[in-house]
């Protein structure tokens, strides 16, 4: 059956609290990130992702303190991102207890950052997040939390990211984010065919069947979601049992 598929709750953190929006806007609060992270760890999540969505200088200190608290409470791997611009940021977050670090805007602006992180800390530490929107038949990569379009297309950027040494790609479809109508399956399947590294599907989870489709049709290695977990719409143990019944290998 190959490697087990991973279920990854994502916690967007703003001013020390978990928030969730739709299409990257209209944020509402969802609770304390450390408590939520511990609850997900206890419920059988495979990994966690924490994103500092307002990584100003002050936010960084708050966020780093939170990472230290998370590391003390959870016993599963977790990735942190937001405002990671240089090796010292990676070092700070790993030292605080993170297992992996996610880069996005800074890598698009200076792709050599990926080579540097992989070279210094190993590919397994470097997760490259890609926020892309389907505009007129072409997937365009965005920076600054989905605010600014770039010239880069999803597939060519994903290929470069893998070539530069990233350990995995976290692909968020901005069209699908928070809409709960399913993941971007065609783009996921294309990424799977193109890349030698794992792909995490993000944006669009609304029901258990969406996760099944991400793994079977989208060929994703992991599926990430936020609101369906934060607001109690899908329980992780139920989801994993369902996926097992569908013939998808998960860690129970």
């Amino acid at each position: 059956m190959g490697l087990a598929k991973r279920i990854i709750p994502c916690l967007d953190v703003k001013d020390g609290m978990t928030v969730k929006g739709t299409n990257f806007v209209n944020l509402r609060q969802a609770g304390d990130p450390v408590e939520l992270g511990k609850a997900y760890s206890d419920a059988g999540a495979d990994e966690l992702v924490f994103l500092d969505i307002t990584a100003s200088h002050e936010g960084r200190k708050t966020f780093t303190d939170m990472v230290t608290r998370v590391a003390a409470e959870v016993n599963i791997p977790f990735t942190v991102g937001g405002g990671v611009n240089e090796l010292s940021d990676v070092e700070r977050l790993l030292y605080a207890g993170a297992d992996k670090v996610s880069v996005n805007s800074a890598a698009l602006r200076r792709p050599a950052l990926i080579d540097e992180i992989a070279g210094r800390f190993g590919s397994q530490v470097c997760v490259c997040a890609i926020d892309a929107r389907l505009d007129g038949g072409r997937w365009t990569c965005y920076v600054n939390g989905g605010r600014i379009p770039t010239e880069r297309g999803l597939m060519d950027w994903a290929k470069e990211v893998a070539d530069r040494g990233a350990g995995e790609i976290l692909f968020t479809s901005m069209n699908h984010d928070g809409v709960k109508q399913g993941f971007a399956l065609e783009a996921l399947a294309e990424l799977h065919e193109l890349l030698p590294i794992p792909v995490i599907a993000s944006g669009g989870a609304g029901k258990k069947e969406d996760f099944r489709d991400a793994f079977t049709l989208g060929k994703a290695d992991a599926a990430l979601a936020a609101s369906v977990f934060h607001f109690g719409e899908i329980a992780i143990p139920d989801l994993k049992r369902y996926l097992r019944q569908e013939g998808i290998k998960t860690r129970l």
Side-chain angles (χ1 to χ4, degrees), residues 237-248:
D238 294 346
L239 174 59
K240 287 193 161 187
R241 279 192 291 272
Y242 165 78
L243 292 171
R244 281 266 166 136
Q245 289 163 3
E246 294 291 315
I248 295 163

Side-chain angles (χ1 to χ4, degrees), residues 169-187:
I169 282 174
L170 166 54
F171 161 54
T172 300
S173 164
M174 294 171 59
N175 306 70
H176 296 72
D177 175 67
V179 181
K180 301 186 182 179
Q181 297 292 315
F183 293 92
L185 301 175
E186 288 179 18

Side-chain angles (χ1 to χ4, degrees), residues 39-194:
Y40 292 142
S41 176
D42 293 345
D46 297 295
E47 297 182 21
L48 299 168
V49 171
F50 294 87
L51 297 176
D52 182 356
I53 62 169
T54 51
S56 65
H57 178 67
E58 263 312 294
R60 283 188 178 189
K61 184 174 183 328
T62 306
F63 189 73
T64 307
D65 291 345
M66 183 215 73
V67 171
T68 304
R69 287 165 49 222
V70 169
E73 293 289 343
V74 309
N75 55 8
I76 57 175
F78 69 98
T79 300
V80 294
V84 175
N85 297 307
E86 53 197 30
L87 286 181
S88 61
D89 296 324
V90 180
E91 204 156 39
R92 170 174 54 84
L93 294 166
L94 294 177
Y95 185 74
D99 297 277
K100 308 178 198 178
V101 171
S102 167
V103 292
N104 188 339
S105 301
L108 270 159
R109 293 195 178 99
R110 193 173 70 84
L113 180 62
I114 296 168
D115 308 68
E116 293 168 8
I117 296 170
R120 173 82 173 273
F121 303 106
S123 288
Q124 78 286 349
V125 162
C126 184
V127 178
C128 191
I130 303 177
D131 299 331
R133 182 190 292 280
L134 187 59
D135 296 315
R138 179 179 184 268
W139 285 96
T140 300
C141 298
Y142 279 67
V143 293
N144 287 38
R147 293 179 187 90
I148 303 171
T150 70
E151 295 297 309
R152 298 303 301 262
L154 169 62
M155 298 303 160
D156 66 308
W157 174 235
K159 181 79 171 64
E160 180 175 337
V161 163
D163 291 344
R164 286 180 177 274
E168 55 191 333
I169 282 174
L170 166 54
F171 161 54
T172 300
S173 164
M174 294 171 59
N175 306 70
H176 296 72
D177 175 67
V179 181
K180 301 186 182 179
Q181 297 292 315
F183 293 92
L185 301 175
E186 288 179 18
L188 284 167
E190 193 174 337
L191 287 168
H192 170 78
E193 291 301 317
L194 180 69

Side-chain angles (χ1 to χ4, degrees), residues 3-6 168 192 197-201 214-215 219-223:
L3 290 172
K5 301 295 189 180
R6 292 171 286 150
E168 55 191 333
H192 170 78
I197 59 174
V199 176
I200 304 168
F215 295 134
K219 304 285 196 292
D221 299 277

